[in-house]
Amino acid sequence: MKIVIGNDHAAVDMKNEIKAYLEEQGHEVVNFGTDTNDSVNYPEYGEKVGVAVANGEFDCGILICGTGVGISIAANKVNGVRAAVCSEPTTARLVKEHNNANIIAFGARIVGMETAKAIVDAYLGATFMGGRHQERIDMFSDIENRQK
Ligand code: RB5
């Protein structure tokens, strides 16, 4: 898969390890995140990854900040983005199966490295179930269109 990853200063080490982990599995991973511990503003990274995913440049995105929350809120401001914060693998599977999440997010200050890998594995191994779930996804677009 072609995956974009983004992060703020709270998640540089976790980003590097997740990127390497996915590349070992044969995925192409493009890094839009910061690479130093200098403080940055997570909305910039959430937007950048969100726009690239919404434009179809990548199959999906991964966002990591301290909690996963701020960076996912920013991504969700981009039309077409369905970013979901996950702190364990069951949620990561279900956000793909039911919500067709195109970005997953997690917190480097919340989950450990092994849980982060399990979250990514569960998400990438899942398939959107469609059917009644598609009708609900369509309602997300309706909400976006009502805001225009
Ligand atoms: C940065 O200190 C921190 O606020 C950020 O990484 C994230 O947790 C925000 O949601």
Side-chain angles (χ1 to χ4, degrees), residues 8-10 42 65-67 69-70 109:
D8 73 359
H9 55 278
Y42 56 78
C65 65
T67 60
V69 174
R109 295 172 179 161

Side-chain angles (χ1 to χ4, degrees), residues 47-95:
E47 179 181 12
K48 219 172 157 188
V49 167
V51 167
V53 170
N55 286 346
E57 294 169 44
F58 297 91
D59 296 309
C60 63
I62 297 172
L63 287 171
I64 322 173
C65 65
T67 60
V69 174
I71 203 162
S72 65
I73 290 174
N76 276 318
K77 297 293 180 191
V78 178
N79 284 351
V81 167
R82 294 176 299 279
V85 182
C86 306
S87 295
E88 39 70 38
T90 301
T91 303
R93 172 175 60 80
L94 287 169
V95 301

Side-chain angles (χ1 to χ4, degrees), residues 24-37:
E24 277 167 25
Q25 295 174 27
H27 296 291
E28 180 187 348
V29 184
V30 177
N31 173 27
F32 280 7
T34 188
D35 290 312
T36 77
N37 295 327

Side-chain angles (χ1 to χ4, degrees), residues 1 9 14 32 40-41 43-44 58-59 61 78 80 85 91 97 105 110-111 115-116 123-124 127-128 138 143-144:
M1 285 182 120
H9 55 278
M14 184 169 277
F32 280 7
V40 294
N41 296 319
E44 293 174 20
F58 297 91
D59 296 309
V78 178
V85 182
T91 303
E97 289 182 351
I110 305 295
V111 301
T115 301
Y123 172 73
L124 294 178
T127 304
F128 177 52
D138 292 341
I143 294 169
E144 289 171 348

